[in-house]
Amino acid sequence: VAPAETTDQSYFDTLDGYSVLRYRGQKQEDNKSDQDMFQYLNLSLGEAQKDRFTWYFFGSLTQDVDGSNANTITKEKFKRLIFPRTPVEENPEVSTSPFFSIDDSIEDDFIVRPYEFYTNVNDVPLFKNIRAGRQYIREVENLHFDGIKLEFADFAGVRFTSFTGVPVHFFETSGSGDFIAGASAEFQPIKKTRLKLDYSFVNDNNSDIGGNDDNFFALSLRQNIKDWWNIFTNFSMVGQTGRDTELRSNWVFPVLDMDFNISIFKQLSTLEDFTIEFDDFNYITGDYFPYTQYSANIYKGIWDHFGIGIGLNLRELNETSNEGDFNHEFENYYVTASSSDFLLKGMSISVSSDLYYTDDDETRVLGFDVSQKIGEKLKVGAGSHYSLFKFDHLAESERDNVRTYFLNAKYKLTEKIGFDMDYEFERSNQESFHTVETALKYSF
């Protein structure tokens, strides 16, 4: 049965979303500084349950307030950062500015990025949903493309989807000749079991590193054994080579306020020369050699105000001689203690401790986070944490061995308008500097 038509007035009443205006100022201890503005817009229109057409948009606008000349380098030099294995004489040294980011490879002060914009057509003959436009498929892999995705109506208990289009590569000179396509089938062979098959093909005609194409296959299984116990396993291949496999199990006990999970992840082969969709860091890390990683953690609530979590991560390389800067053996053990509404109503406290072991080093880390609600509109916080590696999603850059101290405040001006302010001091192996961020968010 086709969804009921709605009037224009009631349809546009479904407009939902938010707009965020963010300012970030950074200052190095030698007085070098950088200032940037970020504008984010998220919009959705229509309700899938009753409207034939629904719409979605998410994008960003970035402005270098200082002017792009301070940090911008030419694209030719920037290749040296992205493709470190190319000859040095063809790609000279890049900027050493601590504020350098991937955006500085673009000479424009204003950078517009539409991440998603698509139309959904719901409940038409043969299809549960048709989606056309720029979109993500976030399932086995994160695939970003301009094209169409078809979700077929269930047939004999099987859910079919297919998609085709052009992959989105923001920092590629040209997408000419690029192509992406794929399909999946999900079904329930026995009660409480879901089995899913995925296939994707990507052709990346990259003028900087040469053309490449890959066929990707994945098989995943989810089994709900009890209401409180489930198991998930996955196996993937690129071409005829097994890429990785994972086994994960989760236990949840609400009555005991406790949950526990374990996982084993195994990279089966060396990651080398795949398309970006299936190995997006290869041109930075180089070949990534096989390893096995074991993880486990348990959380237990204590009385009404306390909780404690304990966990570990262990990585073992198949061949220790293949150890490198970005892929090496390690042991990580951690414990986190937390409380809420204990000393004061609206107060939350968390203290965590990590221990990292490698063949060459031992690192002990202590961090804390405390926040306090003041009335109905204000929340303030402070704390410190440590990161072996820290990725800045706004600047799209990475630093290592980072100790961060922070203060923050969130104030709700009205039901629809909120204001945030954050201060951080970071000390890393590369640099130490101060960061101030403010954000004004308006929700529709």
Side-chain angles (χ1 to χ4, degrees):
V1 178
E5 295 295 333
T6 60
T7 64
D8 289 343
Q9 182 178 3
S10 62
Y11 181 70
F12 284 98
D13 284 344
T14 64
L15 180 65
D16 193 16
Y18 61 85
S19 174
V20 177
L21 178 62
R22 181 181 294 274
Y23 163 83
R24 181 180 63 187
Q26 296 177 286
K27 184 177 181 180
Q28 197 179 2
E29 293 191 318
D30 62 3
N31 291 323
K32 291 181 181 178
S33 63
D34 186 45
Q35 299 181 77
D36 299 285
M37 296 288 293
F38 306 88
Q39 176 73 58
Y40 300 93
L41 181 63
N42 178 294
L43 294 173
S44 63
L45 179 64
E47 297 178 359
Q49 295 78 9
K50 65 178 184 179
D51 294 316
R52 174 64 54 81
F53 295 95
T54 60
W55 312 78
Y56 181 78
F57 173 85
F58 177 69
S60 69
L61 170 66
T62 303
Q63 180 187 7
D64 186 349
V65 178
D66 303 290
S68 61
N69 292 335
N71 295 322
T72 300
I73 58 176
T74 65
K75 291 183 180 180
E76 188 64 28
K77 291 181 180 179
F78 184 69
K79 288 180 186 177
R80 182 60 191 165
L81 183 67
I82 299 184
F83 314 122
R85 291 182 291 174
T86 56
V88 175
E89 58 271 14
E90 294 182 12
N91 297 289
E93 291 293 328
V94 301
S95 169
T96 57
S97 167
F99 306 120
F100 172 78
S101 74
I102 195 169
D103 285 338
D104 293 318
S105 67
I106 301 173
E107 295 181 357
D108 297 328
D109 288 344
F110 289 92
I111 301 172
V112 179
R113 290 205 181 92
Y115 291 102
E116 292 182 274
F117 52 91
Y118 56 77
T119 301
N120 284 309
V121 186
N122 304 300
D123 291 326
V124 294
L126 298 180
F127 299 101
K128 183 177 180 180
N129 175 266
I130 300 174
R131 175 176 293 178
R134 177 163 295 183
Q135 56 191 288
Y136 283 97
I137 294 180
R138 298 180 178 92
E139 295 179 8
V140 179
E141 298 293 296
N142 284 322
L143 302 177
H144 193 196
F145 67 98
D146 295 326
I148 187 168
K149 176 186 175 184
L150 304 175
E151 184 178 348
F152 294 83
D154 288 4
F155 177 76
V158 182
R159 300 177 184 175
F160 289 102
T161 63
S162 65
F163 62 91
T164 185
V166 178
V168 176
H169 299 151
F170 283 119
F171 299 97
E172 191 169 305
T173 305
S174 171
S176 176
D178 291 359
F179 179 71
I180 187 170
S184 68
E186 183 177 0
F187 58 98
Q188 186 174 351
I190 58 176
K191 187 177 181 181
K192 295 184 177 181
T193 300
R194 300 299 301 185
L195 186 65
K196 190 167 185 287
L197 300 170
D198 288 271
Y199 167 75
S200 300
F201 170 79
V202 175
N203 180 75
D204 183 8
N205 188 25
N206 193 313
S207 61
D208 293 319
I209 59 176
N212 200 0
D213 60 76
D214 286 316
N215 291 280
F216 174 82
F217 305 87
L219 172 65
S220 57
L221 173 69
R222 183 179 299 276
Q223 176 69 55
N224 293 322
I225 300 175
K226 297 288 186 180
D227 292 340
W228 46 269
W229 183 15
N230 66 70
I231 293 176
F232 172 84
T233 186
N234 178 75
F235 170 77
S236 69
M237 298 177 60
V238 179
Q240 299 180 352
T241 303
R243 188 186 67 168
D244 55 51
T245 185
E246 181 183 14
L247 175 63
R248 185 169 67 244
S249 183
N250 306 288
W251 294 263
V252 179
F253 307 99
V255 175
L256 301 176
D257 192 11
M258 182 173 70
D259 59 76
F260 174 60
N261 65 74
I262 60 173
S263 68
I264 302 173
F265 178 88
K266 188 174 184 65
Q267 182 181 306
L268 301 172
S269 58
T270 302
L271 301 184
E272 53 181 350
D273 200 27
F274 294 151
T275 53
I276 293 174
E277 280 69 22
F278 308 127
D279 183 15
D280 49 359
F281 294 114
N282 178 259
Y283 297 105
I284 296 175
T285 64
D287 295 344
Y288 210 70
F289 294 97
Y291 68 88
T292 302
Q293 184 160 323
Y294 306 90
S295 301
N297 67 74
I298 183 171
Y299 171 84
K300 177 69 174 75
I302 304 173
W303 300 306
D304 295 328
H305 301 286
F306 301 96
I308 187 167
I310 301 173
L312 60 87
N313 296 290
L314 309 176
R315 177 175 294 194
E316 298 177 352
L317 292 176
N318 289 13
E319 299 288 340
T320 56
S321 59
N322 291 330
E323 197 165 43
D325 291 337
F326 297 97
N327 186 18
H328 52 80
E329 295 188 335
F330 66 84
E331 300 176 25
N332 168 224
Y333 305 92
Y334 60 90
V335 58
T336 300
S338 60
S339 71
S340 61
D341 297 326
F342 175 58
L343 299 176
L344 294 171
K345 183 175 177 58
M347 175 178 282
S348 297
I349 301 174
S350 175
V351 180
S352 61
S353 177
D354 283 78
L355 178 61
Y356 296 89
Y357 283 114
T358 67
D359 289 340
D360 303 321
D361 197 13
E362 176 182 320
T363 304
R364 300 174 185 270
V365 180
L366 182 66
F368 75 94
D369 185 346
V370 58
S371 65
Q372 174 67 55
K373 290 187 65 176
I374 302 174
E376 296 297 321
K377 295 186 175 183
L378 179 62
K379 183 177 182 180
V380 296
S384 176
H385 58 80
Y386 173 84
S387 305
L388 280 177
F389 297 96
K390 186 172 183 179
F391 185 78
D392 187 333
H393 292 277
L394 294 177
E396 300 192 23
S397 59
E398 186 180 85
R399 296 180 292 276
D400 53 61
N401 289 317
V402 183
R403 166 60 68 177
T404 304
Y405 304 90
F406 64 87
L407 299 169
N408 56 56
K410 299 179 183 294
Y411 186 73
K412 193 173 184 180
L413 297 170
T414 68
E415 286 297 318
K416 294 187 175 182
I417 302 176
F419 179 76
D420 298 350
M421 177 171 284
D422 298 88
Y423 165 77
E424 290 188 353
F425 173 70
E426 289 188 3
R427 184 177 65 245
S428 69
N429 284 351
Q430 290 78 24
E431 303 290 346
S432 296
F433 53 87
H434 308 267
T435 301
V436 175
E437 291 191 15
T438 61
L440 184 66
K441 180 176 181 179
Y442 174 73
S443 300
F444 300 101

